[in-house]
Amino acid sequence: MTDHARDLEAVREATDRLLSATGTMDDGAVAEPSRLPGWTRGHVLAHLSRNADALVNVLRGRPMYANSETRDADIERGAPRPLAEQVSDLRTSGAAFLATAEAPADWSRTVTMRNGVTDSASRIPFRRWVEVELHHVDLGVGYELEDLPEEFVNRENDFLAERFAGHPDVVPTTAVAPDGRLWTTGGGADGPPVTVRGEATDLLGWLCGRRDGSGLTVEGGSLPALPPL
C-alpha cells in the first residue's frame, strides 16, 4: 500500500536538495543546456514549477493542464527568467503542492492525470517525487542517478517496469540487479525473452531514457529500445 504521507516527506526532502543545488547556479547557468534535448536548465526549472501547479489541479479535481499547448507555452515563457525568479517560483509552487497534499482527503479516490491517465490519489506524492528527483539529475549540476535514495530507485524501477509491461514494441524482458531484485516488463513484441543485468541505478537510467544502457549486460538478445516516456 502506498504511504502518501511518507512520500510527501520524501518530496519535501528532495525539494530542499534541489533548492540547495540552485545555490551553485547563476543566471548564466540557467540559460545553459540541460541534459534534456532542446531544454535549458531554465526550461527544467520552469517545468518543475508548473508541474507542482498541475498536481494541485489534479488533487482538487481540475484538469491537470488546460491543454498541451498551454503547458508548453508556460514552460517556454518561464524558461528565460533570472535565477532568483526561478527559485522563488519553484519554492512557492512546491510549498503550495505540499500544503494541498497535506490537507485531509480521501486518498483512495481516483484522479485524472494528463491525457486522461487515471491513478489513485495516494500515488500523486510519489509522482511529484519522481519529477523533482529525475529533473534534479537533468539539470547537470552534480546530482546523479547514483545520488538518488535507494528506495526511490527501486520504486521508480517498479513503476517504469509496470508502465512498459505488455508494450507491443518491447520483447519479454527481465531486469536484474546485483542484489537479486528483478523487474519484468515488455512482452507485447514477438521475439525471445532477454535478461538485462546491471546496477539498479543503471537499470533506472535505461528505463527512464537517461542512459544508453552501455553499463548493462544483456543475455538472449540485444537491449530493447524503450519508447519515450
Side-chain angles (χ1 to χ4, degrees), residues 128-175:
R128 177 60 180 173
W129 190 12
V130 171
E131 293 287 328
V132 176
E133 293 283 23
L134 292 185
H135 286 314
H136 189 168
V137 173
D138 293 333
L139 287 174
V141 292
Y143 191 68
E144 304 295 341
L145 294 179
E146 286 75 16
D147 297 312
L148 296 168
E150 182 179 3
E151 177 191 357
F152 173 83
V153 172
N154 287 329
R155 288 180 59 190
E156 179 64 351
N157 281 344
D158 289 344
F159 178 81
L160 292 172
E162 178 184 343
R163 179 165 183 164
F164 295 127
H167 196 283
D169 297 329
V170 182
V171 299
T173 303
T174 301

Side-chain angles (χ1 to χ4, degrees), residues 15-39:
T15 301
D16 287 346
R17 285 193 294 272
L18 176 61
L19 289 169
S20 294
T22 61
T24 67
M25 299 166 60
D26 56 24
D27 289 345
V30 171
E32 292 173 351
S34 73
R35 291 174 173 175
L36 293 178
W39 271 17

Side-chain angles (χ1 to χ4, degrees), residues 164-209:
F164 295 127
H167 196 283
D169 297 329
V170 182
V171 299
T173 303
T174 301
V176 185
D179 62 2
R181 188 175 179 87
L182 58 85
W183 297 268
T184 58
T185 193
D190 292 334
V194 299
T195 298
V196 181
R197 299 184 185 275
E199 296 294 334
T201 47
D202 283 323
L203 292 169
L204 172 60
W206 166 60
L207 286 167
C208 71

Side-chain angles (χ1 to χ4, degrees), residues 38-49:
W39 271 17
T40 65
R41 293 189 178 110
H43 284 91
V44 174
L45 294 173
H47 164 64
L48 279 167
S49 295

